[in-house]
Amino acid sequence: MKKIYLAVAFEREYIQHFTVLLNSLIENNRSLNTYEIYILHSDLTKEDFELLNLFKDEYIYFNFFDMTIFDFSNVFISGHISKETYYRILLAEIIPPNIDKVLYLDCDIVINEDLEEIWNFELNGYSAAGVIDFNGHHRKIELEIPDAYKYINAGVLLINLYYWREKNVENEILQFINNNTEKLMYWDQDAINAVLYHSLRILPYKWNVQNSSFTINNVSGELAEAKISPAIIHFTGSVKPWHISCSNPFQNLYYKYLDLEIFSANKISVQTEKLLNTKKDIYIWGAGQTGRKVLDYLQIEIEAFIDSDKSKINSYLLGKPIISIETIPNKKDSGIIICSGFYKEIRDILVGFGYVEYKDFTYQL
């Protein structure tokens, strides 16, 4: 039996999803290892701590670390990403110096295999180990990463804390972020790759099977096997397993590990239900696959689709016109359901037009 150190970072609205990760970890702990989990947060309440402590057992221990002592107010975020993604950069500072290694995990993850194998990967001489991100290959040119090296997904990251402390990696990454904000597309993940590409160990695909893995067809060997039998399923992107429009083939595992005595499995948000009950004219923002799936699931009548892509305006989707936000005829009776990963950006546009969040528009994927 070993002690394995894990780290996660999340805002309180992700507690439900973190408990799914926990339940999948506990069920697949076949080696009966002890897990000490560092939880990096900035908005958890007393009630949240009490809820999470229900998930402790003889193999699971928590260390809560309040990140409000650090200033992340000016970091680049977009789409569905929050500032919490940057917290992992500080793990070498936060975790006690006698601990040389930690496995960082995003919270949109289901564990499907005992973690002892990934924990045992040798990191001597490596800064970290991760799995290739197929969506990140195009980032190498902008980040000046030589073609011989790989771009990894940082949602499952085995970190050599000794290396980070010795080489002052934290400061190097933060400096890159401060000096290259205009280059960042995938947030701190871009910075981690740009600074550490030459010292990263590449892990087998099965340890971070991302949504993009399922868009690659006609594969064989290791990747094909990983897609069939993943050790870690990572629901990357804005569409998550708790969303209506999720098409990940392992979505059912999320609900397998969801504690229905504590949390609801309802895919329609309370805000969406309220909007549907209070507004006469309903619009869906997002004339694409996600908007189509949400409409099909809700089985409602809408006035039109809204889209910011000018090339779609004045065409039709499912027999409904695609319009721009400027052309909505009656703002007072209009309710807008945003079906896009860029909610924050669209929210700002709507607020600029005088719409009120949760009263006139809401978010539903």
Side-chain angles (χ1 to χ4, degrees):
M1 187 171 74
K2 298 180 178 180
K3 176 177 272 194
I4 294 176
Y5 297 96
L6 303 181
V8 295
F10 57 88
E11 53 188 331
R12 68 186 308 264
E13 68 178 54
Y14 258 61
I15 286 180
Q16 172 178 318
H17 317 312
F18 173 57
T19 63
V20 169
L21 184 158
L22 276 177
N23 283 333
S24 67
L25 169 69
I26 292 166
E27 178 160 323
N28 290 287
N29 184 22
R30 300 181 185 93
S31 302
L32 299 182
N33 292 309
T34 300
Y35 289 92
E36 187 167 341
I37 305 175
Y38 286 81
I39 298 176
L40 282 51
H41 69 94
S42 61
D43 63 353
L44 297 186
T45 65
K46 178 184 176 184
E47 291 73 23
D48 297 329
F49 296 137
E50 291 173 351
L51 187 152
L52 289 176
N53 281 327
L54 295 175
F55 291 83
K56 289 199 304 187
D57 65 12
E58 59 183 311
Y59 302 106
I60 302 290
Y61 301 89
F62 296 140
N63 289 305
F64 296 99
F65 199 93
D66 187 348
M67 297 295 288
T68 55
I69 63 173
F70 301 102
D71 183 14
F72 285 93
S73 58
N74 293 320
V75 294
F76 165 69
I77 56 174
S78 63
H80 63 287
I81 296 297
S82 65
K83 67 181 184 303
E84 279 74 15
T85 188
Y86 288 85
Y87 291 173
R88 59 188 156 197
I89 299 170
L90 304 184
L91 283 171
E93 177 179 346
I94 292 166
I95 294 178
N98 62 306
I99 299 172
D100 287 341
K101 181 167 64 170
V102 67
L103 177 61
Y104 172 85
L105 298 173
D106 278 349
C107 284
D108 51 354
I109 272 175
V110 169
I111 295 167
N112 206 35
E113 198 172 295
D114 194 302
L115 293 183
E116 183 167 338
E117 182 182 331
I118 187 173
W119 181 254
N120 286 338
F121 276 97
E122 179 58 57
L123 288 180
N124 187 31
Y126 294 101
S127 59
V131 174
I132 292 171
D133 189 324
F134 295 110
N135 277 342
H137 182 75
H138 69 283
R139 300 295 301 131
K140 290 166 58 175
I141 295 175
E142 177 73 19
L143 299 171
E144 300 180 28
I145 298 174
D147 196 54
Y149 295 95
K150 306 297 184 185
Y151 180 102
I152 66 163
N153 181 279
V156 177
L157 197 63
L158 187 63
I159 300 174
N160 183 344
L161 297 173
Y162 174 82
Y163 184 107
W164 281 49
R165 295 176 186 126
E166 183 182 47
K167 306 287 188 182
N168 204 14
V169 169
E170 173 189 314
N171 284 342
E172 195 174 351
I173 293 174
L174 290 174
Q175 187 175 3
F176 182 90
I177 290 170
N178 291 331
N179 296 338
N180 298 276
T181 301
E182 75 287 348
K183 287 186 177 182
L184 300 181
M185 176 182 288
Y186 295 146
W187 316 285
D188 64 311
Q189 177 174 286
D190 271 356
I192 289 170
N193 276 277
V195 171
L196 299 177
Y197 66 84
H198 60 282
S199 61
L200 295 172
R201 179 171 184 181
I202 305 302
L203 294 177
Y205 293 122
K206 73 172 186 174
W207 290 109
N208 187 351
V209 177
Q210 305 142 50
N211 283 350
S212 59
S213 306
F214 299 105
T215 65
I216 304 171
N217 300 316
N218 301 318
V219 295
S220 59
E222 182 194 329
L223 178 56
E225 187 176 338
K227 289 168 66 174
I228 295 171
S229 184
I232 290 179
I233 301 128
H234 186 187
F235 299 97
T236 50
S238 59
V239 178
K240 305 300 184 184
W242 53 92
H243 289 147
I244 291 167
S245 53
C246 179
S247 58
N248 189 296
F250 291 98
Q251 180 186 27
N252 64 305
L253 289 183
Y254 174 86
Y255 290 99
K256 172 185 175 181
Y257 293 114
L258 180 63
D259 192 329
L260 295 177
E261 293 184 4
I262 301 175
F263 302 106
S264 169
N266 189 4
K267 295 179 184 178
I268 304 176
S269 71
V270 173
Q271 292 87 355
T272 297
E273 289 183 337
K274 180 181 177 182
L275 195 77
L276 294 175
N277 289 327
T278 57
K279 292 294 184 177
K280 187 179 106 177
D281 301 328
I282 301 298
Y283 297 82
I284 284 183
W285 187 309
Q289 185 179 36
T290 302
R292 181 196 293 261
K293 285 185 177 180
V294 170
L295 178 60
D296 182 63
Y297 188 91
L298 294 177
Q299 292 291 295
I300 57 172
E301 185 67 28
I302 65 170
E303 298 298 310
F305 288 93
I306 304 169
D307 209 282
S308 52
D309 183 350
K310 301 301 182 186
S311 67
K312 294 182 179 181
I313 306 303
N314 297 324
S315 59
Y316 285 80
L317 177 63
L318 301 179
K320 296 297 179 180
I322 302 173
I323 64 174
S324 62
I325 184 61
E326 296 89 348
T327 59
I328 288 185
N330 186 352
K331 271 181 24 176
K332 181 182 176 184
D333 292 330
S334 298
I336 301 170
I337 302 173
I338 300 173
C339 303
S340 166
F342 291 95
Y343 175 71
K344 300 184 186 79
E345 292 81 354
I346 297 171
R347 175 191 61 196
D348 293 343
I349 293 171
L350 290 174
V351 169
F353 276 93
Y355 293 94
V356 178
E357 187 174 23
Y358 302 135
K359 177 178 176 288
D360 301 319
F361 66 90
T362 188
Y363 184 45
Q364 181 71 65
L365 291 180

